[in-house]
Structure formats: structure tokens, C-alpha cells
Amino acid sequence: MARTSILAGIAAATLVAGTVGAAAPAAADDRKARNGDCSRQSVYRMTLAERDDDRLHSTFFINGKRDNARWNVTFKRAGQVVHRDTKRANNRGNVFFADTFRGDDDATVRIIARAGYGERCTRAFSLDD
């Protein structure tokens, strides 16, 4: 009887370990981030995350060089505009945009940001990349 209990415990532990190992790679695909340079001296960070309800959440942070600069941003999914916004950078030149919209992990999301003084930041990727 003790031998049967030990074997059952080993089998259960192996099953749990296999399940945890299989779930870890899937979680890594649920969120990605990319950094890059804008057309002048600013830099950006774009994130893309899949939600459970067939929606995507994307953020775009710009670390700019000019305070109070006006930035216009456009979020596109599969070529269609899903969000537009205009904000002014803070006193350090930083500005942050975010939106949640319908989409799945193979949808390509493109963000285009333009500053009033002519600088441009753009990035596109999908969670499947």
C-alpha cells in the first residue's frame, strides 16, 4: 500500500511539473515590448499585451527632448485606425499614450506619433513576431 501511494505521488508530481512547464511559454507570448529611436533625439517604448476577452492593450511612451511639446498619436490595427489622441509632453519632455481595442495575437499594431515641431516616432509589431 505504501509503495502504491509513493508511486501515485510521483506520478502526480510529474503531471503537475509537466503542466507548469507547458504553461510558461504561452504566458511569455501574452506581452511584448520594443524600444526604439524617433526621427530626431527622442526615444520610445511600445508595449503590446493580449487580454482574455479578445482585446489588445498597447502603450506608447516617448522620452522626448522638448518640454510642453504637442504630440499626435494614431494606433492602427491591421491598417485600420482604432485610436487617436493628442497630448502635451510634461516638463521633462515625456508623454504617455495607451488604449485597449479588439484584436488577437496575430494582429499587427502600428503606432505613429508626430510632434508639433516635426519629430516622428513609429513602430509596428504583433505578438506573433
Side-chain angles (χ1 to χ4, degrees):
M1 173 115 177
R3 184 175 184 187
T4 305
S5 297
I6 292 171
L7 290 175
I10 291 171
T14 303
L15 180 62
V16 170
T19 304
V20 171
D29 290 337
D30 291 339
R31 179 178 166 85
K32 287 188 179 177
R34 300 287 187 266
N35 298 321
D37 298 322
C38 299
S39 63
R40 296 190 182 174
Q41 296 179 356
S42 299
V43 294
Y44 67 84
R45 178 170 181 82
M46 178 181 171
T47 64
L48 186 60
E50 185 177 25
R51 300 283 174 110
D52 291 335
D53 55 358
D54 291 331
R55 297 189 314 157
L56 295 172
H57 180 75
S58 187
T59 64
F60 202 73
F61 173 77
I62 301 168
N63 184 0
K65 300 298 180 188
R66 295 189 184 185
D67 63 340
N68 204 32
R70 181 182 171 149
W71 286 88
N72 298 312
V73 72
T74 303
F75 288 62
K76 292 183 177 184
R77 185 204 64 221
Q80 300 286 10
V81 174
V82 293
H83 180 71
R84 288 183 200 258
D85 199 1
T86 301
K87 291 184 181 180
R88 289 207 176 266
N90 64 15
N91 61 350
R92 291 173 291 196
N94 302 330
V95 63
F96 179 79
F97 298 94
D99 192 36
T100 302
F101 45 87
R102 292 189 51 92
D104 54 15
D105 62 352
D106 64 347
T108 299
V109 176
R110 175 179 298 277
I111 298 180
I112 304 134
R114 293 182 181 98
Y117 60 90
E119 186 162 17
R120 179 182 162 107
C121 307
T122 184
R123 184 63 182 232
F125 70 92
S126 73
L127 290 173
D128 283 348
D129 287 349

